[in-house]
């Protein structure tokens, strides 16, 4: 029987960095592992960290809204910077309808530096 995949602190550091978490270093991930589990060489089972695509959902909390989304649709969510503000952008293929009202579409352009 094949052993399930495991993640060590370097894998966790790479996942956090790729996910857009600021100020993540290998040293910080190593310290976190040592603080929590007393062993920087501890490995987490990947299935314990990665949500099930079919039964779990991910909740994104902001000061103005809570968004619940299935993990397989996370590829349609992006954190972007617009006019100096952090925003969540959701890619849609159809009109967005809220309480029976169709949202209007704006084309936003920002000059690149």
């Amino acid at each position: 029987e094949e052993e399930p995949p495991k993640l060590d602190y370097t894998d966790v550091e790479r996942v956090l960095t790729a996910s857009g978490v600021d100020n993540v270093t290998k040293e910080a991930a190593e310290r976190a592992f040592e603080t929590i589990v007393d062993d920087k060489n501890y490995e987490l089972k990947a299935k314990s960290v990665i949500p099930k695509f079919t039964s779990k959902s991910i909740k994104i909390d902001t000061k103005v809204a809570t968004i619940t989304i299935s993990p397989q649709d996370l590829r349609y969510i992006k954190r972007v910077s617009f006019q100096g503000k952090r925003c969540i952008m959701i890619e849609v293929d159809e009109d967005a309808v809220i309480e029976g009202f169709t949202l209007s579409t704006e084309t936003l352009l920002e000059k690149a530096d």
Side-chain angles (χ1 to χ4, degrees):
E1 188 174 300
E2 192 174 311
E3 189 173 323
K6 295 184 179 178
L7 306 171
D8 65 7
Y9 75 92
T10 57
D11 297 317
V12 171
E13 180 266 332
R14 284 195 304 267
V15 168
L16 292 172
T17 300
S19 299
V21 177
D22 296 328
N23 303 319
V24 177
T25 64
K26 285 187 181 185
E27 295 77 20
E30 183 178 356
R31 277 194 312 275
F33 262 65
E34 289 175 341
T35 300
I36 302 300
V37 294
D38 294 326
D39 181 6
K40 74 175 182 179
N41 297 316
Y42 185 82
E43 294 180 322
L44 303 167
K45 290 181 183 174
K47 70 179 184 177
S48 298
V49 177
I50 300 169
K52 294 179 183 174
F53 280 117
T54 55
S55 64
K56 301 264 182 178
S57 62
I58 295 172
K59 190 160 83 170
I60 302 169
D61 286 317
T62 71
K63 67 181 180 181
V64 296
T66 299
I67 301 167
T68 303
I69 187 164
S70 58
Q72 69 265 24
D73 293 329
L74 277 176
R75 64 179 178 234
Y76 302 114
I77 305 284
K78 300 271 189 270
R79 186 180 96 173
V80 297
S81 177
F82 177 71
Q83 295 179 345
K85 297 178 184 176
R86 290 182 293 183
C87 302
I88 294 176
M89 180 175 62
I90 303 172
E91 178 185 327
V92 294
D93 290 333
E94 66 281 340
D95 288 335
V97 179
I98 300 174
E99 299 289 332
F101 295 97
T102 302
L103 294 178
S104 62
T105 301
E106 293 183 38
T107 301
L108 302 174
L109 300 173
E110 187 173 86
K111 183 179 176 182
D113 291 277

